[in-house]
């Protein structure tokens, strides 16, 4: 077990020579004792020297030693019993080298990455964001640093209400906006407040369907064609429908005007809710963005938005534009205090919007994405003219149509080229007609690649495109039978 | 329904005179049309003028009008049918003045606020925080602006591992820390990963118990006395125990050394988990802070911490120091991407810690809180010497002991003085022996006020104390029978 003389030696060699200030002496001694126990140099059960001996050895005051022992006894490192002195507690587990286990070897990273949903992170406007942070922190009232209101900072709700009316045709007031940490957080809250079941586009983010399911809300697939979701499939049993009207995700078209009207009619008749995921509504390249469905009926549509595509997914700020009757329940579902979204970042974003920096960033990103999209189209034109591209009028991704039955093989061929890219099948609702396990006729199964052209760095993009072209199936007899029906741009309106 | 001539007039008066740039002309016309429909000036069903007529009236190109109509048809504001021209869609709901409903009148705010848990927000170190933000944003690698790793930024995990070892005696490595948005988020994740049932101190935050319950984890109350939680009540059925060892919340004492040892023994024998809520471990006034229980056995203790007390609850950053075996499951429970905690703020906090600003802020807050505490003690000494104060050796709140049966009346008396303050009963587990509905003997019911002395502003504090003293029951025959047993400072260790 070792005598206390050993202990003093162990400690002496551990202690630094300079011990300036009484409080500091005690702290240094405490830390040295703790380290010696932890490292196993003072073994469980080992007796420590009496106060006076150690104090004399170290040239410090007796009380300093007593205080250090007392502290370590209170913490459970040492144990003191009347008459038998102070010992190292029996139950302290010494550090094991296992603490230094390295993280598991990461899977080999792909050389090229065209997985959608991740705008090039080098485009983040660091300087402008910091300037907004400086102004926001200087102007913030003290209460901004207290517990956050789950409704969200009024400064940001005001800025968003104005901007969304201007650029998305949204009709709202600051009181009807509730801030959240992103679209996913918004969906969680709506699932809690509205309940299920919901309808959802048969092509969509599995992540969103999974989130809803984890809150007890099942989704029923709605067919998707060239005019967007087939909303005629909605029934009175559906409590809500999750749609991407500006740019169907991921197949790419906007929701047709007649269907916009029809979904609002459904919501009114069935007392249902339209959940409009406006994930990339501002990134439209060949014409003005299509306005939000929310503007048609603010009492039956919730618009969800965030800065993930326009600015960065690293800032966890999103918004819900709500019907009046849902504001109270959604705020209540968030809890008494804001638990997720930082008020300092909300204030920074409010300044970023009000100062015009947000508009500048959106314009800049729109140009960047458009150029990326044009490069993609040109590369395909040159290298794979038999491949049809859909959904490129907007957004941060395109869909490359493939001959039936070739999707999985193409994704595997891409992997062999070091290219990460996903197939349309990765986004198909498992209950969709034609989905592998749905037992349907297979009539609506489509083969395609979802190409996130905003993902690679500027310098890595040409090579990623090269790898993509090399992965595509060659022209064949079936390649001119388009499997994704419909136009890449919205249908022209009838002449007045 | 109105003729198209009326429509032209309505529009003419709505349009601004300057229409510079073709794109802008179309956008302005589109917005004016939308506003006219929205405001009811163009009624549902009203026919719009043909392109050429409106173009001539407004002196703009025919195509500009055609584009604007097409856009509004695509958005669903207008409807076009071959042969019958363009009309306002029937289903657009005009704006109703109800949109301008004001928020409900807020409940009368108390004049004085001594509710615990909210450090004075004016103490936030705006300048130092901004300096850290500037350095962090400049130094951040590009990938910091991509989707966040749910494990958390390595820069902050490294900074925290070093600091927690130094000031809290925590034994860990950066890989074993997982970042989250606060202690509440950490509890949610643990509830998912560990499952129930848990034991919890009979006095504690109802919010935490509610969070666990909402994730299907019931809590069983453990008695609390002057030495902290009575951990001898733990059984092999408990999967975890939620404790506040540094400063029992809210009654105020540190967990006794023998109980620290006992709870580690229980965890080892029962394969249980100790969840150490280190909510205010650094705010200790009369001696060094008691080190974390985590240091005694890192494989059986999770330490939860956040910046809510030390910096601000508005920054949503917390941390979990985990046993090795829980790191993977907790990261997986967070999802594929970080959904809640902002990486830019994580990086800012990493710089704030590494630069020493965090230590300076903690020292500053410690001084501020200690002065507040001393003012409270002095006021009570002067005005209500019969009232015993507990739990003032640490933290941001104190407990004022009251004669049995007087708590609710005292809280009501405070409300009449315009003072918001809570009773001990507000924190009692509903299943605790002696809780109103538990059917127990009532033996452990205690009466007391939980006084959050860090909450008021500097200038408002003296008056809040005055209101508090006026609310307290007068000295009576029962007032010297202490109902909260035990010392306000930790028990002295036995002599070695």
């Amino acid at each position: 077990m070792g005598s206390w003389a050993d202990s003093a030696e162990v400690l002496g060699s551990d202690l630094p020579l300079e011990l300036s200030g009484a409080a500091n002496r005690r702290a240094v001694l405490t830390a040295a004792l703790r380290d010696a126990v932890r490292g196993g140099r003072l073994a469980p059960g080992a007796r420590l020297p009496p106060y006076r001996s150690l104090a004399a050895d170290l040239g410090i005051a007796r009380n300093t030693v007593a205080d250090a022992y007392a502290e370590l006894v209170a913490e459970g490192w040492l144990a003191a019993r009347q008459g038998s002195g102070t010992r190292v507690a029996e139950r302290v587990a010494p550090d094991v080298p296992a603490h230094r286990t390295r993280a598991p070897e990461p899977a080999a990273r792909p050389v090229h990455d065209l997985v959608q949903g991740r705008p090039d992170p080098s485009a983040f406007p660091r300087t402008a964001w910091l300037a907004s942070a400086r102004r926001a922190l200087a102007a913030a009232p003290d209460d901004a640093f207290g517990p956050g209101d789950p409704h969200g900072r009024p400064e940001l709700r005001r800025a968003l209400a104005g901007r969304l009316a201007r650029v998305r045709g949204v009709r709202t007031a600051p009181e009807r906006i509730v801030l959240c940490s992103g679209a996913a957080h918004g969906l969680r809250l709506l699932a809690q407040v509205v309940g299920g079941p919901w309808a959802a586009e048969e092509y969509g983010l599995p992540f969103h369907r999974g989130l809803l399911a984890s809150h007890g809300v099942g989704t029923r697939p709605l067919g998707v064609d060239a005019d967007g979701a087939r909303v005629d499939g909605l029934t009175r049993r559906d409590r809500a429908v999750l749609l991407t009207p500006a740019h169907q995700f991921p197949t790419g078209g906007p929701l047709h005007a007649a269907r916009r009207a029809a979904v609002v009619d459904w919501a009114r008749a069935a007392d249902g809710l339209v959940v409009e995921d406006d994930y990339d509504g501002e990134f439209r390249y060949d014409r003005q963005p299509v306005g939000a469905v929310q503007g048609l009926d603010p009492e039956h549509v919730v618009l969800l938005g965030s800065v993930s595509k326009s600015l960065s997914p690293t800032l966890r700020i999103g918004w819900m534009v709500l019907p009046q009757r849902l504001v109270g329940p959604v705020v209540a579902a968030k809890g008494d205090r804001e638990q997720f979204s930082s008020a300092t970042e909300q204030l920074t974003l409010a300044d970023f919007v009000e100062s015009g920096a947000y508009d500048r960033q959106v314009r800049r990103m729109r140009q960047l994405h458009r150029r990326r999209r044009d490069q993609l189209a040109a590369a395909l034109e040159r290298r794979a003219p038999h491949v049809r591209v859909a959904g490129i009028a907007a957004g941060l991704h395109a869909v490359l149509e493939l001959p039936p039955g070739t999707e999985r093989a193409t994704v595997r061929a891409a992997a062999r080229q070091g290219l990460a890219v996903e197939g349309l099948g990765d986004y198909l609702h498992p209950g969709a007609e034609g989905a592998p396990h749905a037992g349907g006729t297979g009539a609506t199964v489509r083969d395609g690649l979802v190409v996130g052209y905003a993902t690679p760095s500027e310098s890595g993009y040409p090579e990623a495109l090269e790898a993509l072209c090399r992965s595509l199936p060659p022209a064949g007899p079936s390649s001119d039978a388009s499997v994704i029906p419909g136009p890449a741009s919205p249908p022209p309106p009838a002449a007045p």
Side-chain angles (χ1 to χ4, degrees), chain A:
Chain A
M1 283 279 128
S3 74
W4 61 256
D6 297 337
S7 304
E9 198 164 302
V10 162
L11 286 172
S13 64
D14 266 9
L15 285 168
L17 293 175
E18 285 180 283
L19 299 177
S20 59
N24 193 34
R25 270 188 211 115
R26 188 187 57 207
V28 170
L29 176 60
T30 308
L33 279 162
R34 209 190 273 120
D35 284 349
V37 174
R38 175 186 298 175
R41 278 160 294 143
L42 287 178
R47 180 137 52 118
L48 271 83
Y51 303 155
R52 75 195 67 200
S53 312
L54 188 58
D57 286 353
L58 300 176
I60 57 181
R62 204 191 139 203
N63 277 348
T64 305
V65 179
D67 287 348
Y69 281 20
E71 183 163 336
L72 292 167
V73 168
E75 292 177 15
W77 296 97
L78 305 181
R81 206 167 299 165
Q82 205 74 38
S84 83
T86 305
R87 290 179 179 274
V88 175
E90 290 289 356
R91 60 190 57 69
V92 174
D95 274 346
V96 280
H99 282 188
R100 294 201 196 81
T101 47
R102 266 171 300 173
E105 205 66 32
R109 284 186 63 183
V111 186
H112 312 294
D113 191 350
L114 290 171
V115 174
Q116 66 74 35
R118 282 172 286 161
D120 182 357
S122 72
F124 186 80
R126 302 186 190 208
T127 310
W129 183 255
L130 194 64
S132 283
R134 190 168 52 237
R135 287 189 296 264
L137 276 171
D142 278 345
D143 76 0
F145 304 101
D149 177 352
H151 203 145
R153 289 300 304 181
E155 295 88 341
L156 180 55
R157 291 188 282 114
R158 274 197 298 272
L160 287 172
R163 181 168 198 283
L164 291 171
R166 177 163 54 81
V167 302
R168 304 292 302 124
V170 161
R171 291 195 284 164
T172 191
E175 311 85 71
R176 308 236 320 232
I177 296 181
V178 175
L179 302 180
C180 54
S181 82
H185 190 198
L187 282 180
R188 280 177 218 266
L189 293 166
L190 288 174
Q192 288 172 52
V193 166
V194 176
W198 289 23
E201 294 163 330
E202 64 179 352
Y203 285 95
L205 274 181
F207 171 57
H208 284 175
R209 293 192 295 259
L211 266 185
L212 291 171
S214 75
H215 284 77
V217 171
T219 51
R220 198 172 61 75
L222 277 187
V224 167
D225 63 21
D227 291 334
R230 281 173 23 209
V231 297
D232 54 340
L234 288 168
T235 70
R236 284 177 176 271
R237 285 197 56 245
D238 300 311
R239 306 275 309 195
V241 57
L242 177 60
L243 296 176
T244 49
H247 185 223
Q248 202 287 322
F249 182 86
T251 65
L255 188 63
H256 189 280
R259 294 191 180 170
R260 291 172 165 248
V263 77
V264 167
D265 285 346
W266 164 79
R268 289 178 187 174
D271 198 22
L273 189 70
V274 179
V275 180
E276 180 171 25
D277 180 3
D278 198 39
Y279 70 105
D280 70 351
E282 299 199 39
F283 292 108
R284 186 149 200 99
Y285 307 119
D286 304 317
R287 53 188 299 267
Q288 288 285 102
V290 181
V293 172
Q294 191 272 353
L296 294 182
D297 193 339
E299 290 306 327
H300 289 93
V301 183
V302 174
L303 180 126
L304 297 180
S306 81
V307 298
S308 291
K309 300 284 186 289
S310 54
L311 204 45
S312 165
T314 210
L315 304 173
R316 302 310 308 156
I317 308 182
W319 47 86
M320 319 172 71
V321 181
L322 291 165
Q324 184 66 49
R325 72 197 146 92
L326 290 183
V327 174
V330 167
V331 171
K334 287 190 73 183
D336 284 344
R337 295 173 169 199
E338 176 61 58
Q339 292 173 48
F340 297 110
S341 181
S342 149
T344 54
E345 290 209 330
Q346 290 181 12
L347 290 170
T348 300
L349 181 59
D351 181 277
F352 200 75
V353 170
E354 296 281 14
S355 68
Y358 195 89
D359 283 334
R360 281 192 293 279
Q361 175 70 6
V362 168
R363 279 198 298 274
R364 196 177 139 227
M365 296 301 277
R366 202 185 282 143
Q367 282 164 12
L368 194 143
H369 295 157
R370 176 189 212 141
R371 199 168 58 233
R372 291 283 182 96
R373 178 202 68 162
D374 293 346
Q375 285 173 267
L376 169 67
L380 290 170
E381 180 66 32
R382 204 166 54 238
R383 298 282 310 275
H386 58 289
V387 171
R388 192 163 166 274
V389 194
I392 60 171
L396 289 68
H397 71 273
V399 174
L400 273 51
E401 297 179 16
L402 297 174
T406 63
E407 179 181 302
R408 296 327 298 164
T410 308
V411 169
R412 283 194 298 270
R416 283 192 298 272
Q417 299 283 343
L419 170 67
V421 67
E422 292 175 321
L424 260 185
D426 293 318
Y427 295 90
L428 188 61
H429 193 297
E433 199 188 341
H437 303 292
T441 62
T444 67
V445 168
R446 307 163 192 182
D447 282 71
L449 288 187
V450 179
V451 176
Y453 50 72
T455 302
S457 69
E458 197 68 30
S459 61
Y461 189 47
E463 283 185 32
L465 286 181
E466 179 63 30
L468 175 68
C469 291
R470 275 199 304 269
S471 313
L472 293 171
S478 66
S479 69
D480 55 1
S482 170
V483 286
I484 299 182
S489 53

